Amino acid sequence: MMRDVVIHPIDVLLKKRDGEELSTAEIEFVVGAVVRGNAREDSGETAGAVGETISDAQIGAFLMAVFERGLSLRELGDLTRAMRFSGETFDASVLETFTLDKHSTGGVGDKSSLLIAPVWAAAGMDGGSSVSVPMISGRSLGHTGGTLDKLETIPGFDSQLSLARMGEVLRECHAALVGQTPRLVPADRILYGMRDHTGTVESPFLICASIMSKKLAEDLRGLVLDVKVGSGAFMPTLERSKFLAELMVSTGESAGTKTVALLTAMDEPLGRFSGNWVEVWECVDIMQGRRHSMSADLIELSNALSGWGLFLAGRAESPEDGTALADEILRSGAAYAAWLRIVAAQGGDTSVFEDPAAFHKPKAMRVLRASRDGFLAGMDCKEIGWAVQRLGAGRARPGDPVSAHAGIESHAKIGDRVEAGQALFTLFSEDEALLEEPYRMLGGTVRIADHRPERQSLLREVVKAG
């Protein structure tokens, strides 16, 4: 009789360090040992036997070996699958709908989820091929904003729903906007924290496994990815952004989820506002029919992403038809009606949307003005994001508190003609002492030139299967 083969962590580490391909069993061992070790730590139990646990040092070595050597598509699929099923998962079969979600790799002022989810939910309520949106989102970290932080500026809004309650909201509203539960993909929560401490955050393979394990745990039939390109993007070059997009599309399709990725520009803040409540305010304005000129790029992006989702779900004959349908849903007020239902179902006070501008109550403001006549030629968008973070709207470390009312308003887009003394940014904070450094950061990164720069397309490329 054959005995079970004991897998030793050091053997797995050496194998990947030397560039060899790991087996499915070896990858499953690593992920399983990570979760078991963390569970023992939480309960105060002692370490398990050989073949059951892996030390923090060995986890760090594994992550660095993957960072240096990469993964084959088969290894990446195995890692994503093992992480996906490392805890509880959502069973969407009871909904009997096309489950659809969207993910962004992060940016500045990127609030498109707050428009896309209501658009898709409205489409789901409108008969035809029904759509449900189990949107599990994250919090801000570093220079990028987080959807949960924005939603939680709505009084009473509960983003920490159990999977059972999320299912109830989906049946009622066709969308739920929630955070990751402690038992959903626990391997990712542990490995994400370790990546931050081991200098392996930027690995496209680890990024892909992290994102896709959480999204696939939602039991999705369709997924639209917004992969940012430009100075405010997480990946520094178009080539690396495209490579990450290709990995995620391949991983999603291999798991049976229709997946498409759009490479989109992040060279300046998206839309009019960057922060937390101010971004909710901007989206509510759009859903109520007030379209500020500074929100045109946000609307364009949201409609494009929504359009692809409606196409994947069979609600449109082409992505272009889907884009037109998304804009129609926004303009008709159907998305706003869906938004009100979602917020109310999750305990939020919808009365604040009657006058969202009045709910914005920063304690300190300062205006950055153009130093001369010319054209707004460019900026380091990541620096803009850090300025927003230091105003109090973001966090440097997980768990840091964030301000509801800190942020910036943009008054011009790249390529616009500006005059000396014209407002470029208005800074908001709940602490006047926090204004000075972000003001200097914004002033130092904005470039004004004599000639209008060439305008870049918001949508750079579409990555899809086949």
Side-chain angles (χ1 to χ4, degrees):
M1 186 171 70
M2 293 185 63
R3 301 176 62 185
D4 290 339
V5 176
V6 175
I7 298 175
H8 295 270
I10 188 63
D11 296 334
V12 178
L13 305 182
L14 292 173
K15 189 174 179 181
K16 179 46 64 178
R17 182 201 68 181
D18 293 339
E20 297 180 51
E21 192 169 11
L22 300 179
S23 69
T24 299
E26 287 167 330
I27 290 173
E28 289 176 346
F29 158 76
V30 170
V31 173
V34 164
V35 176
R36 286 191 296 272
N38 185 76
R40 286 195 175 92
E41 260 184 42
D42 289 345
S43 65
E45 293 181 25
T46 56
V50 173
E52 291 185 354
T53 61
I54 184 170
S55 69
D56 284 354
Q58 289 168 329
I59 298 173
F62 171 76
L63 294 172
M64 185 56 73
V66 172
F67 183 89
E68 293 292 338
R69 293 294 190 174
L71 297 171
S72 68
L73 287 179
R74 198 270 308 158
E75 286 177 300
L76 178 58
D78 285 345
L79 178 61
T80 304
R81 189 179 311 107
M83 291 170 62
R84 172 186 181 181
F85 292 109
S86 64
E88 63 182 11
T89 58
F90 181 64
D91 180 7
S93 61
V94 295
L95 298 175
E96 298 182 339
T97 63
F98 189 97
T99 44
L100 182 62
D101 198 2
K102 165 261 179 188
H103 178 82
S104 168
T105 56
V108 183
D110 184 7
K111 59 204 77 80
S112 61
S113 291
L114 304 185
L115 296 174
I116 293 168
V119 165
W120 285 345
M125 295 179 208
D126 190 31
S129 303
S130 188
V131 177
S132 291
V133 189
M135 187 172 281
I136 298 176
S137 302
R139 300 187 182 280
S140 67
L141 188 62
H143 79 283
T144 64
T147 299
L148 292 186
D149 297 315
K150 300 162 193 176
L151 289 167
E152 289 175 356
T153 63
I154 302 169
F157 188 91
D158 183 7
S159 68
Q160 303 305 301
L161 305 184
S162 66
L163 292 184
R165 177 57 186 153
M166 183 176 81
E168 293 171 357
V169 174
L170 285 168
R171 280 187 285 274
E172 178 185 348
C173 305
H174 285 264
L177 305 172
V178 302
Q180 183 178 357
T181 71
R183 289 187 289 180
L184 185 82
V185 197
D188 176 64
R189 177 172 48 83
I190 301 161
L191 292 176
Y192 189 94
M194 290 293 292
R195 283 165 55 206
D196 194 41
H197 291 295
T198 55
T200 56
V201 169
E202 294 86 359
S203 165
F205 301 97
L206 296 175
I207 293 170
C208 175
S210 174
I211 292 170
M212 297 303 293
S213 62
K214 293 194 290 287
K215 290 301 176 184
L216 295 175
E218 299 172 8
D219 198 12
L220 297 178
R221 294 180 62 189
L223 176 62
V224 181
L225 299 161
D226 180 7
V227 181
K228 301 298 187 185
V229 178
S231 64
F234 189 69
M235 305 300 284
T237 65
L238 173 61
E239 291 72 24
R240 292 192 65 184
S241 292
K242 185 175 180 179
F243 180 64
L244 174 60
E246 290 170 342
L247 289 179
M248 291 195 290
V249 169
S250 175
T251 301
E253 290 283 341
S254 297
T257 298
K258 296 179 180 179
T259 309
V260 65
L262 278 63
L263 300 180
T264 69
M266 184 42 66
D267 290 310
E268 61 184 330
L270 186 66
R272 177 185 175 191
F273 288 116
S274 302
N276 291 312
W277 171 256
V278 287
E279 295 193 30
V280 175
W281 167 14
E282 181 174 6
C283 291
V284 168
D285 269 0
I286 293 167
M287 288 186 283
Q288 290 179 339
R290 294 187 292 272
R291 296 195 168 200
H292 194 281
S293 61
M294 294 297 293
S295 299
D297 55 349
L298 169 63
I299 296 169
E300 179 186 350
L301 175 65
S302 299
N303 283 340
L305 294 167
S306 295
W308 267 99
L310 294 170
F311 170 63
L312 294 181
R315 297 304 306 266
E317 294 186 2
S318 68
E320 294 76 19
D321 287 344
T323 297
L325 176 58
D327 194 59
E328 179 184 327
I329 291 171
L330 268 183
R331 289 181 183 277
S332 70
Y336 184 56
W339 165 258
L340 292 176
R341 289 183 64 173
I342 297 163
V343 171
Q346 294 187 226
D349 178 4
T350 59
S351 69
V352 294
F353 306 137
E354 295 170 8
D355 190 355
F359 189 68
H360 179 47
K361 296 178 179 178
K363 294 179 180 176
M365 299 171 58
R366 191 169 179 183
V367 178
L368 176 72
R369 301 184 182 279
S371 59
R372 67 182 185 92
D373 294 351
F375 295 92
L376 185 57
M379 63 192 75
D380 181 341
C381 191
K382 185 174 289 187
E383 187 79 350
I384 303 289
W386 280 115
V388 173
Q389 183 262 341
R390 288 171 190 173
L391 285 165
R395 52 175 60 85
R397 295 177 302 277
D400 285 351
V402 297
S403 163
H405 300 289
I408 64 170
E409 179 178 4
S410 300
H411 299 288
K413 294 287 184 181
I414 293 175
D416 286 352
R417 174 77 184 178
V418 297
E419 298 179 355
Q422 178 181 330
L424 298 179
F425 295 104
T426 298
L427 293 73
F428 311 112
S429 182
E430 295 189 65
D431 182 349
E432 189 162 0
L434 296 180
L435 289 174
E436 184 59 34
E437 183 186 11
Y439 182 85
R440 290 198 308 269
M441 293 169 72
L442 293 175
T445 194
V446 169
R447 302 191 305 278
I448 297 176
D450 293 329
H451 302 287
R452 188 189 303 274
E454 183 178 350
R455 290 189 183 271
Q456 300 293 318
S457 171
L458 184 63
L459 175 59
R460 301 293 172 82
E461 195 168 340
V462 176
V463 177
K464 54 186 178 179

